[in-house]
Amino acid sequence: MKKNSAFARWFYGEKDTLLDRVEMKPQPEYQRKESDYQKLLEKRRQLFAQIYDEPNRKLKAFGLMYRIAAIIFCLMLIFIMLMTVSWLPENGNPDNPVNNEVSARYIENGLQETGAVNIVTGMILDYRAFDTFGESNVLFIATVTVLILLRLDPEKKAKIKKKIPLYQKPLDEMTVEEAEAHDRVYEPKNDLILQKVAGFLVPIIIIFGIYVILNGHISPGGGFSGGAIIGAGLILYLNAFGFEKTERFFTEKTYKWTCFGALSFYCIAKSYSFYTGANHLESGIPLGTPGAILSSGLILPLNICVGLVVACTMYAFYVLFRKGGF
């Protein structure tokens, strides 16, 4: 093949032999006027603005208002805290009270009035029982809020519960719903070491949590710490044996009724106790012998209520963040 021939120059990309010889002309039916093209372009711009720009503007406006409101709120909070600090008595002022009457009352009369050897438990479940009731409600409300935000919708839940073995494809090719269902179908992971250790430790952990709750008015402990221990035991059991076995005894309905019953009993019991105390009436609730397991009036059952709420809340939080539902 000659290097200077037309074919060689075309082959090596030096010259287009058809340049200026063939011209593609549009057919008359496909020709458009410039004005029609501009109208189409403007219509596309408007559609794009309607779909993207306007919601973005609203979102940006909301974000700006949110930032302004957050700054105003923080400044107000800082101002209130600084004003409160400015009203505190000066350190070392001779007019300051030598002893705090409230703490002195807790220490000197706590055993006689509450029957609890543990002064801290007597304070939080007798003198300030409604504060503890509020804290327990905060835990319950926080769990309900997370449940609303993270729970799976019924359709996704139904797909997961069918347990159809459709997931033979690689994990990186699955959708989010398929990956969640795949994870749930094949739980537990048949980790023999984890299951054997959990089978030995979980009963001990739960029994120890019950011990901490029941002895909260006698020794260090109580509903919060004992409930956290029981919650940790439930989470360990779940990780070892999976949702299918755990849901035999702990479901969403179990959580709701346990928390509802515990919080209702707490509210009714302490409302009765405070009502009789405020009206100087005999409550009829015996304090028992200090140091005995059945003593301190309502403190023991209230500790049990708090422990149930804390244990359920810990387990519920883990399940919600793990699966988006019970």
Side-chain angles (χ1 to χ4, degrees):
M1 183 172 58
K2 296 181 180 180
K3 293 185 178 180
N4 295 327
S5 63
F7 179 78
R9 282 184 291 170
W10 170 81
F11 183 79
Y12 291 109
E14 296 176 1
K15 183 180 179 181
D16 189 354
T17 56
L18 301 178
L19 187 63
D20 298 327
R21 295 187 181 183
V22 178
E23 182 180 358
M24 297 296 294
K25 295 182 178 180
Q27 298 297 322
E29 59 267 22
Y30 294 107
Q31 291 181 354
R32 288 185 176 178
K33 296 180 181 179
E34 185 70 20
S35 59
D36 293 340
Y37 177 75
Q38 292 296 334
K39 287 179 182 178
L40 180 62
L41 193 61
E42 184 62 28
K43 190 177 291 185
R44 287 183 177 179
R45 285 200 192 102
Q46 292 175 359
L47 183 62
F48 183 83
Q50 185 178 0
I51 295 174
Y52 297 103
D53 289 351
E54 291 180 9
N56 284 342
R57 285 197 205 102
K58 293 179 181 179
L59 190 61
K60 288 179 180 178
F62 174 77
L64 180 62
M65 292 176 60
Y66 178 82
R67 292 186 183 93
I68 294 172
I71 292 171
I72 293 173
F73 176 78
C74 290
L75 291 175
M76 289 177 60
L77 183 62
I78 292 171
F79 174 76
I80 293 171
M81 294 179 68
L82 290 176
M83 288 295 296
T84 305
V85 171
S86 67
W87 292 336
L88 292 174
E90 296 180 3
N91 189 21
N93 191 333
D95 295 330
N96 293 344
V98 179
N99 295 311
N100 190 314
E101 296 178 4
V102 176
S103 60
R105 174 67 176 268
Y106 293 161
I107 296 170
E108 295 173 1
N109 301 332
L111 181 61
Q112 179 183 354
E113 293 177 348
T114 66
V117 177
N118 187 346
I119 298 175
V120 176
T121 303
M123 179 185 66
I124 65 175
L125 288 176
D126 193 284
Y127 292 114
R128 303 180 61 183
F130 270 122
D131 290 348
T132 308
F133 178 63
E135 294 168 6
S136 301
N137 275 286
V138 166
L139 293 175
F140 178 70
I141 294 169
T143 310
V144 172
T145 306
V146 175
L147 178 63
I148 294 171
L149 293 174
L150 297 184
R151 72 177 302 173
L152 297 173
D153 59 40
E155 293 182 1
K156 291 181 182 179
K157 217 168 187 179
K159 288 179 183 178
I160 291 174
K161 286 187 176 180
K162 284 181 181 178
K163 299 183 179 180
I164 301 175
L166 301 175
Y167 310 111
Q168 303 299 329
K169 55 184 175 181
L171 190 62
D172 57 351
E173 297 179 6
M174 296 181 185
T175 63
V176 176
E177 292 82 4
E178 289 175 342
E180 289 175 348
H182 178 276
D183 193 22
R184 189 168 177 123
V185 166
Y186 293 103
E187 280 186 337
K189 305 303 182 188
N190 296 322
D191 190 331
L192 188 60
I193 296 176
L194 177 60
Q195 291 179 354
K196 293 297 183 182
V197 172
F200 173 74
L201 287 180
V202 168
I204 297 175
I205 292 172
I206 293 178
I207 291 172
F208 179 65
I210 295 171
Y211 167 81
V212 171
I213 293 174
L214 296 180
N215 286 271
H217 58 295
I218 301 173
S219 61
F224 286 103
S225 52
I229 295 170
I230 295 175
L234 291 173
I235 293 171
L236 176 59
Y237 184 89
L238 174 64
N239 281 318
F241 299 102
F243 280 86
E244 186 174 0
K245 287 188 177 181
T246 309
E247 286 175 353
R248 293 177 184 174
F249 62 90
F250 200 108
T251 61
E252 185 177 356
K253 188 178 292 186
T254 308
Y255 164 77
K256 290 178 179 177
W257 280 107
T258 302
C259 288
F260 174 76
L263 293 174
S264 298
F265 175 81
Y266 193 117
C267 180
I268 294 170
K270 284 314 296 182
S271 296
Y272 167 76
S273 177
F274 279 0
Y275 175 80
T276 55
N279 292 278
H280 306 287
L281 302 173
E282 288 292 334
S283 64
I285 302 172
L287 296 179
T289 304
I293 187 70
L294 297 177
S295 63
S296 69
L298 288 173
I299 290 180
L300 177 59
L302 294 183
N303 251 334
I304 296 173
C305 292
V306 173
L308 290 173
V309 172
V310 172
C312 291
T313 302
M314 280 191 60
Y315 177 80
F317 269 129
Y318 179 81
V319 173
L320 289 170
F321 282 101
R322 178 80 170 84
K323 287 294 182 186
F326 284 91

